[in-house]
mmCIF file of all heavy atoms in Angstrom:
data_model
loop_
_atom_site.group_PDB
_atom_site.id
_atom_site.type_symbol
_atom_site.label_atom_id
_atom_site.label_comp_id
_atom_site.label_asym_id
_atom_site.label_seq_id
_atom_site.Cartn_x
_atom_site.Cartn_y
_atom_site.Cartn_z
ATOM 1 N N LEU J 121 6.742 29.104 5.162
ATOM 2 C CA LEU J 121 7.943 29.691 4.549
ATOM 3 C C LEU J 121 7.619 30.252 3.178
ATOM 4 O O LEU J 121 8.071 31.346 2.806
ATOM 5 C CB LEU J 121 9.042 28.635 4.414
ATOM 6 C CG LEU J 121 9.919 28.319 5.614
ATOM 7 C CD1 LEU J 121 10.970 27.295 5.225
ATOM 8 C CD2 LEU J 121 10.584 29.571 6.175
ATOM 9 N N ASN J 122 6.854 29.499 2.412
ATOM 10 C CA ASN J 122 6.482 29.921 1.068
ATOM 11 C C ASN J 122 5.691 31.230 1.102
ATOM 12 O O ASN J 122 5.867 32.109 0.257
ATOM 13 C CB ASN J 122 5.669 28.823 0.380
ATOM 14 C CG ASN J 122 5.503 29.076 -1.101
ATOM 15 O OD1 ASN J 122 6.456 29.363 -1.808
ATOM 16 N ND2 ASN J 122 4.269 28.997 -1.566
ATOM 17 N N LEU J 123 4.841 31.361 2.123
ATOM 18 C CA LEU J 123 4.062 32.589 2.274
ATOM 19 C C LEU J 123 4.969 33.761 2.656
ATOM 20 O O LEU J 123 4.778 34.888 2.179
ATOM 21 C CB LEU J 123 2.980 32.389 3.339
ATOM 22 C CG LEU J 123 1.927 33.496 3.454
ATOM 23 C CD1 LEU J 123 1.195 33.702 2.138
ATOM 24 C CD2 LEU J 123 0.940 33.166 4.561
ATOM 25 N N LEU J 124 5.943 33.511 3.521
ATOM 26 C CA LEU J 124 6.907 34.552 3.885
ATOM 27 C C LEU J 124 7.609 35.098 2.644
ATOM 28 O O LEU J 124 7.784 36.317 2.485
ATOM 29 C CB LEU J 124 7.941 33.991 4.869
ATOM 30 C CG LEU J 124 9.156 34.872 5.191
ATOM 31 C CD1 LEU J 124 8.726 36.186 5.839
ATOM 32 C CD2 LEU J 124 10.137 34.128 6.089
ATOM 33 N N VAL J 125 7.991 34.196 1.738
ATOM 34 C CA VAL J 125 8.708 34.606 0.530
ATOM 35 C C VAL J 125 7.778 35.256 -0.490
ATOM 36 O O VAL J 125 8.023 36.370 -0.971
ATOM 37 C CB VAL J 125 9.438 33.395 -0.097
ATOM 38 C CG1 VAL J 125 10.021 33.767 -1.455
ATOM 39 C CG2 VAL J 125 10.538 32.905 0.838
ATOM 40 N N SER J 126 6.699 34.564 -0.841
ATOM 41 C CA SER J 126 5.834 35.047 -1.927
ATOM 42 C C SER J 126 4.998 36.263 -1.529
ATOM 43 O O SER J 126 4.790 37.174 -2.335
ATOM 44 C CB SER J 126 4.903 33.923 -2.390
ATOM 45 O OG SER J 126 4.046 33.511 -1.334
ATOM 46 N N HIS J 127 4.528 36.294 -0.289
ATOM 47 C CA HIS J 127 3.614 37.358 0.133
ATOM 48 C C HIS J 127 4.357 38.587 0.657
ATOM 49 O O HIS J 127 3.914 39.715 0.428
ATOM 50 C CB HIS J 127 2.675 36.813 1.216
ATOM 51 C CG HIS J 127 1.598 37.761 1.634
ATOM 52 N ND1 HIS J 127 0.642 38.240 0.747
ATOM 53 C CD2 HIS J 127 1.319 38.343 2.845
ATOM 54 C CE1 HIS J 127 -0.177 39.065 1.393
ATOM 55 N NE2 HIS J 127 0.212 39.142 2.664
ATOM 56 N N PHE J 128 5.475 38.375 1.357
ATOM 57 C CA PHE J 128 6.207 39.493 1.953
ATOM 58 C C PHE J 128 7.467 39.841 1.156
ATOM 59 O O PHE J 128 7.594 40.948 0.644
ATOM 60 C CB PHE J 128 6.580 39.174 3.406
ATOM 61 C CG PHE J 128 5.409 39.145 4.342
ATOM 62 C CD1 PHE J 128 4.816 37.937 4.699
ATOM 63 C CD2 PHE J 128 4.896 40.314 4.883
ATOM 64 C CE1 PHE J 128 3.740 37.900 5.574
ATOM 65 C CE2 PHE J 128 3.817 40.293 5.759
ATOM 66 C CZ PHE J 128 3.234 39.079 6.100
ATOM 67 N N MET J 129 8.386 38.893 1.075
ATOM 68 C CA MET J 129 9.697 39.180 0.487
ATOM 69 C C MET J 129 9.604 39.626 -0.973
ATOM 70 O O MET J 129 10.320 40.539 -1.404
ATOM 71 C CB MET J 129 10.583 37.933 0.595
ATOM 72 C CG MET J 129 11.979 38.119 0.046
ATOM 73 S SD MET J 129 12.949 36.598 0.268
ATOM 74 C CE MET J 129 14.439 37.039 -0.635
ATOM 75 N N GLU J 130 8.712 39.012 -1.740
ATOM 76 C CA GLU J 130 8.618 39.317 -3.176
ATOM 77 C C GLU J 130 7.548 40.356 -3.498
ATOM 78 O O GLU J 130 7.248 40.600 -4.669
ATOM 79 C CB GLU J 130 8.356 38.027 -3.955
ATOM 80 C CG GLU J 130 9.534 37.049 -3.866
ATOM 81 C CD GLU J 130 9.273 35.737 -4.590
ATOM 82 O OE1 GLU J 130 8.112 35.521 -5.026
ATOM 83 O OE2 GLU J 130 10.228 34.959 -4.737
ATOM 84 N N ASN J 131 6.976 40.977 -2.487
ATOM 85 C CA ASN J 131 5.995 42.032 -2.726
ATOM 86 C C ASN J 131 6.667 43.229 -3.401
ATOM 87 O O ASN J 131 7.671 43.744 -2.905
ATOM 88 C CB ASN J 131 5.371 42.454 -1.393
ATOM 89 C CG ASN J 131 4.342 43.551 -1.555
ATOM 90 O OD1 ASN J 131 4.677 44.738 -1.487
ATOM 91 N ND2 ASN J 131 3.094 43.162 -1.779
ATOM 92 N N GLU J 132 6.106 43.671 -4.501
ATOM 93 C CA GLU J 132 6.736 44.723 -5.298
ATOM 94 C C GLU J 132 6.807 46.045 -4.545
ATOM 95 O O GLU J 132 7.799 46.768 -4.637
ATOM 96 C CB GLU J 132 5.968 44.909 -6.620
ATOM 97 C CG GLU J 132 6.103 43.750 -7.585
ATOM 98 C CD GLU J 132 7.558 43.480 -7.975
ATOM 99 O OE1 GLU J 132 8.347 44.459 -8.071
ATOM 100 O OE2 GLU J 132 7.920 42.300 -8.176
ATOM 101 N N ARG J 133 5.771 46.387 -3.812
ATOM 102 C CA ARG J 133 5.786 47.648 -3.050
ATOM 103 C C ARG J 133 6.877 47.618 -1.987
ATOM 104 O O ARG J 133 7.583 48.613 -1.763
ATOM 105 C CB ARG J 133 4.423 47.879 -2.398
ATOM 106 C CG ARG J 133 3.313 48.256 -3.358
ATOM 107 C CD ARG J 133 2.000 48.408 -2.619
ATOM 108 N NE ARG J 133 2.041 49.479 -1.637
ATOM 109 C CZ ARG J 133 1.143 49.663 -0.672
ATOM 110 N NH1 ARG J 133 0.130 48.794 -0.549
ATOM 111 N NH2 ARG J 133 1.249 50.666 0.186
ATOM 112 N N LEU J 134 7.033 46.458 -1.333
ATOM 113 C CA LEU J 134 8.055 46.328 -0.296
ATOM 114 C C LEU J 134 9.454 46.404 -0.903
ATOM 115 O O LEU J 134 10.367 47.001 -0.320
ATOM 116 C CB LEU J 134 7.860 45.001 0.448
ATOM 117 C CG LEU J 134 8.345 44.932 1.900
ATOM 118 C CD1 LEU J 134 7.720 46.028 2.741
ATOM 119 C CD2 LEU J 134 8.048 43.572 2.491
#
Side-chain angles (χ1 to χ4, degrees):
L121 278 183
N122 192 49
L123 190 58
L124 171 61
V125 172
S126 62
H127 186 61
F128 290 98
M129 181 178 173
E130 295 178 352
N131 180 269
E132 291 301 326
R133 288 178 63 194
L134 207 55

